[in-house]
Each structure stands twice: as C-alpha cells, then as structure tokens.
Amino acid sequence: MNTPKFQPMVRAAAALAIALAGTLPAVALTAVPALAETGAGTPALADSTPTPAPADSTPAPASAPVSTTAAPSDPPLADSSPVPSATPSNDAGLAEAVQRDLGMTLAEFDAAGALGRRAADAAPSLRALPGYVGISLAGGKIAVEGSGPELLARVAELNHAGPDDFVLAAPAAAAVVPSAAELLASSTQQLFEAYVREVGAAGLQAVTYTNGHFVIRTGGTNTAQSVPGSDAVPAPDAVPASGSDPQPATAPGTKPRMSAADFVARYANVALEQGSRIATEEGFFGGQGYIIDGRTVCSAGFGAFSPAGEPLVLTAGHCAADGAAKQARIEDPAGAPAAGGAGSGAAAGTLGTFGFSQFGGPDNSVVATDGTNVGTDIAVLRGIRSSLDLQPAVTRWDNPADPGPTSVKIVGTVAPFRGQPVCRSGRSLGWSCGTVDSVGIWVIAGPNSLPPDYDNDLRALNGFDSSTVKSRPGDSGGPWISGNFAVGMHTGAESEGGVQTRAIATTIEDATGRVPGGVQLQLFLTKPTLTAAANGTVTAGEPITGHVGAGPASVVAPHSKVRITVVDEKSGQKPGQPLEVPIDASGKWQFPAPSSAGQFKFSAETVNGFSRSGAVSMSIDVSRLPAPAITSPLEGPALTAIETIEGTGEAGRTVRLSGDFTGTGLVAADGHWSIKVAHQPVFGKISVTAVLTAPGQSDGPSVTRTYTVTPPVPAVSNLRDGRHLRRDALPAGISGTAIDGAEVTAAVDGVVIGSVRAGSGGAGARAALQPQVPLNLAGAARWSVPFPAGLAAGAHTLTVTQAIDGVASLPAAVAFTVDAAPVSAGTPHGTPDPSQPAPNQPASQPAASQPAANGQASPAQAPVPPSDTSVTVSVGPSGSAGQLANTGAGGLLANTGAGGLLTAAGLGAGALLLGAAFVAFGRRRTGR
C-alpha cells in the first residue's frame, strides 16, 4: 500500500465517534455459513471442494483460488506443544501486512492498539455525561464527539491523568437541522429496532453511524458463499432517500409496513445505501486452522479460560452448525494456504470438543420481529488435549515450523472504534490489515436458510466491519487484533461480482459476555524482575521493588499483579497466603521487606486471572541499618571541583564512600556527616556511593550520586599571548600540557586544527591528577598539534580545550599575529634565493657571493627558510620532559632565534642602502 503512514487514520479524521454499547451502529447482514471444505470422507480436506453445510449437505461449486498476495505463511499449531517464548519477535509476517495494508510500522500499529485501549477505558465515564455522542480515532488522537461543560471537564481530567491524547470535537450531527416533519435518530440500536419493526430484517445489511449521520445499508438477497458470484446484486456507493427504493425481499408470509426509502425519508440524519451479498467464511495460536468432524475447516480465535480455569479456545459460533458440531482436530500446518499449502491439511491431532455456541440470538434464534434479540457469533472449544499448550498469542504465518517466537502476544481486549487500525489472521489468507469502518448490529443468514431468498433464517449479532481488510473461506473464527489487543473474531465477508468488498467480525468483548458464566481471555505476561537494590540490600520494613516488562508486547496486560510467595527454607512450608501486589502503568511493583534482618528469599509470578507468567525465585539482603543521604553537592549543574561530600544518617554510624571518591566519616549526634575529598581531584562524569556500617551488622542500603566536574583550562607552552610570527618562519606545531588522558582540541579562529589525547598513559574515560600536581598546571601530560598551513597574515586567536568523559573545560585563549615576510630584492616574493645559506646554516654565517644580473656581486641577504620547514615534537607521559627539535628557522616559538635573524637582516639592509647611495652618487657624477 503506497500511502503515507497513518493515512487510513487521517481519512477518518472527520468521522463521528462510534457509539458504544447502547449507541453502537447497527449493521444487518443476511448470509449463511460458507461451511466447509469436504475431503470426500477423508481427514485431508481440499480447498478446491468447499461445500455449504445446510441439513441437506448439497455440494457447492469449487471455491475461488486463494490469492497469491496473502501475507507470509505460518502453519497452524501442530501436535507438538509450542514452547512459550519471551524472545522479541522478528515481526516478519505481520510487519509486512501492516506496512502493506496500513502504511504503518509495527510500533505505530502497537501504539494505535494501546490508544484504542485507553479510549475503551475512558468510554464508560464519557458515555454517562450529557452531550456525549461517541468516540473515534484519527491522527493518533482520541476524538470525543459531543459538547457541554461536563464533557469538556472530563476530557481535561483524562489528559491530566496521562498523555494528552483526548480532544473534544463538536458533533457533526449538530449541523443537521430537522424540519418540522422530520425526526432525528439518536442511536443505532433505536434505529435498528425501528427498522426491523416497520420494514423487516430481510435484505438489511447495516445500520451505521458515520460522518455525522446514520446509514441504512441494504442489498439484494444474500445467499451462501457457494452461490456463483454472477448472482450478486450490484452495489452502488449510496442511494439517497429520495431515489429509487431498494426494497429488500421479505420473509415468506410477511409484508412490511413501509419501504426502506420511506423509512429513511422520515429522518433528517439518516441516509440509504445499497450493498452486496455477504457470506460467512469458515474455515492454534490464534489464527490456526482446525477441522470440524472431518468435514469443515475454520480458524481458531483466542485462547481463554472457563470460570473454573479450564483452558478453552474461542472461535466463530457459526462454525458449530447450531450445536451439531462435535469434535475439532488441528489442521496440519503444511496444508494451510496461509502457510503456503495447496489446500486443507490432514488432521494433526485432537484439539478438543465443541461446548457452548451461539450464532445469532440466544439458542441460535433468528431475528425477532421487534429486533430486540441481537446476539453474537461465538463458539467455545473445551476438553483441550492435555498435551497441548495453548498460547496467548496469534500466529504471524512467517515460520511454519515454529510459530511461537514470532507470534503476536495478546494482553487484553479493546472495543472497535471507527478509524482503528486492525489486522485479521486466518488459515486461508493469513494476515490482512485495514481500518474499522463501522460498529453495530449485523444480520447473517443461518445454516437453515433456503433459496431463493435465503431470508427465512436470519441471525442478528453485534460486530464491526472493514472495507480494507480481506479474507477467504476458512478464515471464520480467526482473530482480529489492534496492536496487542483482541478486537473480534472473523464472521464473514461481502462480495460484489466475485470480488470481496467488506469483511465482518463479531466484537470480542460482547461475544465473551454471552458465554454462560463468562470466560477469561488468555493473556501474555512476562515474568517479574527485581529492581537492582542498592548493593542488593534493603532496610527492614522498607519497600522491595521490582518491574514487569511489556516486551515483546507493547504494554503489560491491564490489571495484572505480582504474586509473592515466601517459603521457609528449613521447613519448606509456606508461612501464609501469597501476597498479590498491583503493577502500576510503568510496570513497577513493590511490597515491604520483613522486619527481621538477614537474607530474604521468595518467589514472584505475574498473574492476571488464570493467566500466569511462571514463577521466578528471588532473594535480597535485609539490614537494620537505613540508607544514608548525600545532601551536598547537589546533582545538576556542572561543578569546577568537589572538596567535601556531606549528608545525613543514623547518629553514631560510620559512613563509607566508594566510587570515584573514597573515605570514611562518623555520623555526628545531630545526624550529619562530612568527608573531605579535595585531595582527590577528579574530573568528568563521576559518581560516589555512601553506605552506613556498624560492627557486627550487615551494611545498610547504599545511595549513589552522580556529578559533572569541569576540567581545568589546559596550558599552551610554546605560544605566548600577543606574539608576532613571521609568515616565512612559522612553527611546525603548537604544544602544551593537560591532564593525562584528556582529549585536547585546538582551534584557530574557531576552526579545529587538531584533536589529540594528552600523554601516553591516560585512563581515557576518566582522569585524575596526582595529588602532587598543582591544579593550575592543568596536568603534566604533553600534547601537540600541527600548526595550520596556509594561515593568512593578520591577527588570529588560538583556543585549546581539554575534555574528560565528554565534559569540556573552558578554553585557553592565545592571541597572536602573523606578519608578512619581507620581499627580497632580485628574487620573486616567497622564492628562496639560491645565493643564501641552507636553512640549517646559522643566520650570522655569510653566504657565498653570487654575480648579480648586471655583473656585480649582490649584498648578502638574510636566509629565507624553505616552505617545508618542520618541527619534531616528542610527547611524554605525565612528568616527562617534552622536546621540540627545530629543523628549520623559527621552529620553537618560545625561542625562535629571531634576534639573530633581525641582526643579520639589519646588516643586510644597511649594506643595500649604502650600495644604493654609491650608485646614485656615481650616476650624478657621470651626468655632470
């Protein structure tokens, strides 16, 4: 899908909120189960021979081939029990589907799921307030649609209690002004019941709420999926209430009081649309396939627990054939189309047996004449084989041999919202993702529906739909998720001309509430860990703290707890009932340490209902000594030095420092202590730990503080402030001293000319001066960088800093000037005169005379050093003497020999002036 990230959510930004519970958009579908794939009496089933499963078992035409664009494959659960794994997934299968279908990353998809969970948690408190219309998700925000001071105040409270995710949006319906003869629909449930009473359920597909108005969606006669696609009724996008009446076919012996168009025309905020035929799709980790009585195939939804803790598998109710289904066997992974198989696989072991099931109203009842018996589509598989390990996860279809490590972990449920990113998994198509279009009540043709109208067995259920999610026969019962949250289970799909246009799912939160006694969804939980205690010790009675991580899920399952169990080492008996402590939003948990000192051993396990993480053995030392406090210096701004560490503690105890500072001190009677550390100059990022000690007792908990100490300014030794340098006699390098191991950086006019480490034995990460080295020397380790080439004549500024652990000192600044070199007579500027002495020759030594251009000998000139004059710098460790060997004129700036050069230059200049005078005098005499 070549769309920007979150584009599906952006498209829904203007949509009104989806009403929850009593205000859910009602959607009605007429469809029958696509019932299953027969295998000619053998356990191996072929996808090419799907048959409907009404009582007469009439064979159906072959199904359409499975699309080759299905998500990467992963097999259904085989006979072997998968091993739980907390290893972060590689996200291959789902990541591709999320990017392909939603233009999102997995992190963004998980964040959207968590956002939906927060919206669902807030919905009950919002729904009870006047002016509330609904909730939708768009642009990474939770749009609360409605108005009024109470709603505004509640939105502010929700944002104050957490991230600023909630925004109050004026209801789009406010723009609809009814005439005196028109009505305003207030909820999808009210509208659905009115439509069923006055028009009938036959042909009704949906009653939804979107973009500030309600939509009545009808279509042609819906039949079983095996009916040829050419029989499908065309589905224009929308038919206005004033247009032609797409009056649905009516049930035998009934006559509607009015047409669908007339019904819609009575409302100012209701529109009429026409849809296409919808059919259910049938087909361990969730999403894996299972075979029903050796005849049909569906997909597993989610693992769950009965009220007694019995393991269960949740799937679609219509897969149970109104209670006629008996046994479920696991489909062999190799044969599942989502895993790359050519058709249905052979059975790979027993899964369980069918227990409770409901498709439609209670006891699989059809739509009542008043529309009040809206039901669900759920079946419960029980008696799960004892050797099978159900997982709180959904297969990604990316590793047929081992789906566990890469599976999507389920941490809870969330109600669907319009605009919510969702993904569906099933054994036929694998993964498909999209966004929720609407939520409401759907009408599906049951297994007893008969031609030609198939409207004699219509079942109503709470569900939601998506026009962007795709599916195939055999995916029924499979899980729909948003992030790591369960949203629903797959029910059916609408097709137009053989092309699927809409996928429908039953809402998981509503479905599980219909099971007698209720069920608990199986949740993924990570094992708890113990927070690193100060030196592994806590004070008696003080909190023992720990953490429960979310990974590889996005969040910890809401309402989870940590169960603490203490076992007496001598007797092996548990002294009392386990203690359960809550886990906060950040994953933190805590409980008080025992009052007795010594080693404390216990086990900790994350629990949520019947879901368990597995126990972890832990131990911690309990001391009677409290932790001290460090009160000075304070952590925060960088310091230039630390001379004293001070704090408070229990009077009479000894404080011991460790870390970058060491020392001991006694806590005075007033509870204060102070330890001098000025003799331990340390720079960079440092830490110090303090602990109380007492004879015959275990050390108490420790406390640690961290500081930033700025190093002193480094020294520049061979370039004095205000110095003038001749351009033809520049030094080869700049050198000085710094703290051993410090990173020294030199710059000229703000441009870095070199960065080196001072000395040869520095610690690098942290350096400390020896006590005998004065601080104002900034250390005794030598450093040197080359002098910049091509430096123009004029004023310049050198700055040098030293850094330890990334903490830089203030700069040492030296201003100097580069003077232009004098121009030699008779030679090009800057070109050495061959008549001059070699660079290493003393400046006072006369050069051999060379004939001038006019045949006269020219006066001796001061030597001009060649351009490659260099300085050899030897850098020694702290305390060693560095040397600069001058291999050319002007090498060491501190003693360049410029005095001798100036003397020679002066003599040469005098000789030139004298010679010029004689020439002029001679010319004057000749002219006379």
Side-chain angles (χ1 to χ4, degrees), residues 144-158:
V144 179
E145 299 186 25
S147 60
E150 295 93 340
L151 208 56
L152 180 62
R154 180 56 183 153
V155 168
E157 289 176 0
L158 291 169

PDB file of all heavy atoms in Angstrom, residues 144-158:
ATOM      1  N   VAL A 144     -13.300  12.754  21.134  1.00  0.00           N
ATOM      2  CA  VAL A 144     -14.534  12.605  21.899  1.00  0.00           C
ATOM      3  C   VAL A 144     -15.541  13.569  21.290  1.00  0.00           C
ATOM      4  O   VAL A 144     -15.394  14.789  21.392  1.00  0.00           O
ATOM      5  CB  VAL A 144     -14.309  12.926  23.390  1.00  0.00           C
ATOM      6  CG1 VAL A 144     -15.610  12.795  24.157  1.00  0.00           C
ATOM      7  CG2 VAL A 144     -13.244  12.002  23.964  1.00  0.00           C
ATOM      8  N   GLU A 145     -16.558  13.040  20.651  1.00  0.00           N
ATOM      9  CA  GLU A 145     -17.530  13.877  19.969  1.00  0.00           C
ATOM     10  C   GLU A 145     -18.692  14.201  20.894  1.00  0.00           C
ATOM     11  O   GLU A 145     -19.285  13.314  21.508  1.00  0.00           O
ATOM     12  CB  GLU A 145     -18.021  13.186  18.702  1.00  0.00           C
ATOM     13  CG  GLU A 145     -16.887  12.929  17.718  1.00  0.00           C
ATOM     14  CD  GLU A 145     -17.385  12.387  16.406  1.00  0.00           C
ATOM     15  OE1 GLU A 145     -18.563  12.637  16.073  1.00  0.00           O
ATOM     16  OE2 GLU A 145     -16.614  11.725  15.712  1.00  0.00           O
ATOM     17  N   GLY A 146     -18.965  15.481  20.988  1.00  0.00           N
ATOM     18  CA  GLY A 146     -20.043  15.939  21.853  1.00  0.00           C
ATOM     19  C   GLY A 146     -19.784  17.361  22.298  1.00  0.00           C
ATOM     20  O   GLY A 146     -18.877  18.040  21.802  1.00  0.00           O
ATOM     21  N   SER A 147     -20.562  17.831  23.255  1.00  0.00           N
ATOM     22  CA  SER A 147     -20.412  19.195  23.738  1.00  0.00           C
ATOM     23  C   SER A 147     -20.960  19.290  25.154  1.00  0.00           C
ATOM     24  O   SER A 147     -21.671  18.390  25.628  1.00  0.00           O
ATOM     25  CB  SER A 147     -21.156  20.173  22.818  1.00  0.00           C
ATOM     26  OG  SER A 147     -22.551  19.848  22.777  1.00  0.00           O
ATOM     27  N   GLY A 148     -20.606  20.362  25.826  1.00  0.00           N
ATOM     28  CA  GLY A 148     -21.102  20.594  27.170  1.00  0.00           C
ATOM     29  C   GLY A 148     -19.980  20.719  28.173  1.00  0.00           C
ATOM     30  O   GLY A 148     -18.889  20.156  27.977  1.00  0.00           O
ATOM     31  N   PRO A 149     -20.200  21.441  29.258  1.00  0.00           N
ATOM     32  CA  PRO A 149     -19.146  21.667  30.251  1.00  0.00           C
ATOM     33  C   PRO A 149     -18.701  20.385  30.947  1.00  0.00           C
ATOM     34  O   PRO A 149     -17.521  20.237  31.268  1.00  0.00           O
ATOM     35  CB  PRO A 149     -19.790  22.655  31.232  1.00  0.00           C
ATOM     36  CG  PRO A 149     -21.271  22.504  31.024  1.00  0.00           C
ATOM     37  CD  PRO A 149     -21.450  22.165  29.591  1.00  0.00           C
ATOM     38  N   GLU A 150     -19.634  19.461  31.211  1.00  0.00           N
ATOM     39  CA  GLU A 150     -19.259  18.226  31.884  1.00  0.00           C
ATOM     40  C   GLU A 150     -18.305  17.399  31.015  1.00  0.00           C
ATOM     41  O   GLU A 150     -17.312  16.846  31.491  1.00  0.00           O
ATOM     42  CB  GLU A 150     -20.501  17.388  32.224  1.00  0.00           C
ATOM     43  CG  GLU A 150     -21.423  18.042  33.241  1.00  0.00           C
ATOM     44  CD  GLU A 150     -22.503  18.856  32.541  1.00  0.00           C
ATOM     45  OE1 GLU A 150     -22.323  19.207  31.354  1.00  0.00           O
ATOM     46  OE2 GLU A 150     -23.528  19.137  33.202  1.00  0.00           O
ATOM     47  N   LEU A 151     -18.603  17.329  29.725  1.00  0.00           N
ATOM     48  CA  LEU A 151     -17.761  16.572  28.809  1.00  0.00           C
ATOM     49  C   LEU A 151     -16.393  17.232  28.678  1.00  0.00           C
ATOM     50  O   LEU A 151     -15.352  16.560  28.658  1.00  0.00           O
ATOM     51  CB  LEU A 151     -18.448  16.474  27.446  1.00  0.00           C
ATOM     52  CG  LEU A 151     -18.112  15.256  26.581  1.00  0.00           C
ATOM     53  CD1 LEU A 151     -18.396  13.961  27.318  1.00  0.00           C
ATOM     54  CD2 LEU A 151     -18.873  15.309  25.279  1.00  0.00           C
ATOM     55  N   LEU A 152     -16.385  18.557  28.604  1.00  0.00           N
ATOM     56  CA  LEU A 152     -15.128  19.286  28.500  1.00  0.00           C
ATOM     57  C   LEU A 152     -14.257  19.043  29.728  1.00  0.00           C
ATOM     58  O   LEU A 152     -13.044  18.834  29.627  1.00  0.00           O
ATOM     59  CB  LEU A 152     -15.409  20.777  28.329  1.00  0.00           C
ATOM     60  CG  LEU A 152     -14.183  21.691  28.191  1.00  0.00           C
ATOM     61  CD1 LEU A 152     -13.387  21.326  26.954  1.00  0.00           C
ATOM     62  CD2 LEU A 152     -14.612  23.147  28.135  1.00  0.00           C
ATOM     63  N   ALA A 153     -14.874  19.063  30.910  1.00  0.00           N
ATOM     64  CA  ALA A 153     -14.127  18.847  32.145  1.00  0.00           C
ATOM     65  C   ALA A 153     -13.563  17.431  32.212  1.00  0.00           C
ATOM     66  O   ALA A 153     -12.433  17.216  32.649  1.00  0.00           O
ATOM     67  CB  ALA A 153     -15.027  19.120  33.344  1.00  0.00           C
ATOM     68  N   ARG A 154     -14.344  16.437  31.754  1.00  0.00           N
ATOM     69  CA  ARG A 154     -13.879  15.055  31.796  1.00  0.00           C
ATOM     70  C   ARG A 154     -12.725  14.826  30.844  1.00  0.00           C
ATOM     71  O   ARG A 154     -11.765  14.112  31.167  1.00  0.00           O
ATOM     72  CB  ARG A 154     -15.031  14.108  31.461  1.00  0.00           C
ATOM     73  CG  ARG A 154     -14.659  12.629  31.470  1.00  0.00           C
ATOM     74  CD  ARG A 154     -14.061  12.218  32.780  1.00  0.00           C
ATOM     75  NE  ARG A 154     -13.635  10.822  32.781  1.00  0.00           N
ATOM     76  CZ  ARG A 154     -12.668  10.338  33.532  1.00  0.00           C
ATOM     77  NH1 ARG A 154     -11.992  11.140  34.350  1.00  0.00           N
ATOM     78  NH2 ARG A 154     -12.341   9.064  33.464  1.00  0.00           N
ATOM     79  N   VAL A 155     -12.773  15.435  29.659  1.00  0.00           N
ATOM     80  CA  VAL A 155     -11.668  15.331  28.701  1.00  0.00           C
ATOM     81  C   VAL A 155     -10.402  15.916  29.304  1.00  0.00           C
ATOM     82  O   VAL A 155      -9.303  15.365  29.171  1.00  0.00           O
ATOM     83  CB  VAL A 155     -12.030  16.022  27.374  1.00  0.00           C
ATOM     84  CG1 VAL A 155     -10.800  16.187  26.494  1.00  0.00           C
ATOM     85  CG2 VAL A 155     -13.102  15.229  26.636  1.00  0.00           C
ATOM     86  N   ALA A 156     -10.538  17.047  29.997  1.00  0.00           N
ATOM     87  CA  ALA A 156      -9.376  17.667  30.651  1.00  0.00           C
ATOM     88  C   ALA A 156      -8.804  16.743  31.727  1.00  0.00           C
ATOM     89  O   ALA A 156      -7.580  16.618  31.880  1.00  0.00           O
ATOM     90  CB  ALA A 156      -9.769  19.016  31.251  1.00  0.00           C
ATOM     91  N   GLU A 157      -9.691  16.075  32.493  1.00  0.00           N
ATOM     92  CA  GLU A 157      -9.230  15.150  33.520  1.00  0.00           C
ATOM     93  C   GLU A 157      -8.464  13.975  32.908  1.00  0.00           C
ATOM     94  O   GLU A 157      -7.433  13.542  33.425  1.00  0.00           O
ATOM     95  CB  GLU A 157     -10.429  14.613  34.308  1.00  0.00           C
ATOM     96  CG  GLU A 157     -11.086  15.636  35.233  1.00  0.00           C
ATOM     97  CD  GLU A 157     -12.324  15.070  35.918  1.00  0.00           C
ATOM     98  OE1 GLU A 157     -12.647  13.889  35.647  1.00  0.00           O
ATOM     99  OE2 GLU A 157     -12.950  15.788  36.700  1.00  0.00           O
ATOM    100  N   LEU A 158      -8.969  13.445  31.802  1.00  0.00           N
ATOM    101  CA  LEU A 158      -8.312  12.317  31.150  1.00  0.00           C
ATOM    102  C   LEU A 158      -6.933  12.703  30.638  1.00  0.00           C
ATOM    103  O   LEU A 158      -5.980  11.924  30.751  1.00  0.00           O
ATOM    104  CB  LEU A 158      -9.183  11.810  29.993  1.00  0.00           C
ATOM    105  CG  LEU A 158     -10.502  11.133  30.394  1.00  0.00           C
ATOM    106  CD1 LEU A 158     -11.381  10.932  29.170  1.00  0.00           C
ATOM    107  CD2 LEU A 158     -10.226   9.797  31.085  1.00  0.00           C
TER     108      LEU A 158
END
